Amino acid sequence: MKHKQLFNAKVQARAVGRRDVLIMRHKNIRWRGEMLLRGLTWLVLFQLLGTALNHLFVPVLPGPIIGLLLLLGFLVVRGQVSEPLSQAASGLLRYLPLLLVPPAVGVMVYAADIAADFWAIVGALVLSLLISMAFVGVLMQRLLKNHSHTEERP
C-alpha cells in the first residue's frame, strides 16, 4: 500500500512540475511575442517616418530607403541593437528569398529589353562593383587604423 501511495505522490509531483513547465513556456512565448511586436513597431515607425520625409522633402529617394537610413543612424547613435528589434529582423530575414521572386519574374518577362541593353547593364554593374570595392577598401583601412590607435592607448 505504501508503495502505491509513494508512486501516486511521484506522479502528482511530476504532473505539477510539468504544469509549471507549461506555464513557464506559455509566459516565455507570450514575452517573445511582445518583443517581436515591439521590434516590428520600431521598423514600421521608421518606414513611416521615411515615407513622410519622402513626401515632404526628398522625392528622389524612396521612403523605405530613407527610413532604413534613419534606422541606421539611430542604431549608430545608440551603439547597440535592442533585443526586440533583433528578433523582428531575424524573423523577417527568414522570408527574404520570397522578396526575390518578383524581380526574377521581371527578368524573364523583360528578357528581350535586357538583351537589347546588355552592354549598358554590364558596364553599370562593373562600374558599381569598382566603386564599391574602392569604398570598402578605404573604409577598412580607416577602421583598422582606428582600431590600432585604440589598442595602443591603454
Side-chain angles (χ1 to χ4, degrees):
M1 191 72 160
K2 285 185 176 182
H3 179 67
K4 188 174 184 179
Q5 288 174 346
L6 183 62
F7 177 76
N8 287 337
K10 285 183 181 180
V11 169
Q12 287 175 354
R14 285 185 189 160
V16 169
R18 286 185 185 154
R19 191 183 88 217
D20 290 343
V21 168
L22 288 175
I23 289 172
M24 291 301 289
R25 285 184 184 167
H26 176 71
K27 288 180 181 178
N28 193 16
I29 290 170
R30 185 173 175 202
W31 174 247
R32 284 184 184 173
E34 290 173 5
M35 288 180 55
L36 180 65
L37 285 176
R38 284 186 193 146
L40 288 172
T41 302
W42 276 107
L43 291 174
V44 170
L45 284 175
F46 275 104
Q47 181 179 358
L48 288 174
L49 185 60
T51 303
L53 290 174
N54 169 272
H55 287 291
L56 294 174
F57 302 114
V58 189
V60 177
L61 287 175
I65 299 298
I66 296 171
L68 187 65
L69 292 173
L70 291 172
L71 178 63
L72 176 65
F74 172 74
L75 293 176
V76 166
V77 168
R78 190 166 182 210
Q80 67 177 356
V81 179
S82 64
E83 181 65 27
L85 197 58
S86 175
Q87 194 174 20
S90 298
L92 290 174
L93 280 176
R94 249 184 289 164
Y95 301 107
L96 185 64
L98 292 176
L99 297 175
L100 301 176
V101 172
V105 171
V107 166
M108 294 301 162
V109 170
Y110 295 106
D113 295 334
I114 292 172
D117 295 328
F118 178 75
W119 291 112
I121 294 170
V122 168
L125 288 173
V126 168
L127 184 63
S128 66
L129 174 71
L130 292 175
I131 292 171
S132 299
M133 294 288 285
F135 177 75
V136 168
V138 170
L139 181 65
M140 189 66 182
Q141 286 179 351
R142 287 189 181 176
L143 289 174
L144 286 174
K145 187 188 298 184
N146 289 342
H147 184 66
S148 66
H149 286 310
T150 56
E151 286 182 353
E152 293 174 1
R153 288 188 194 175

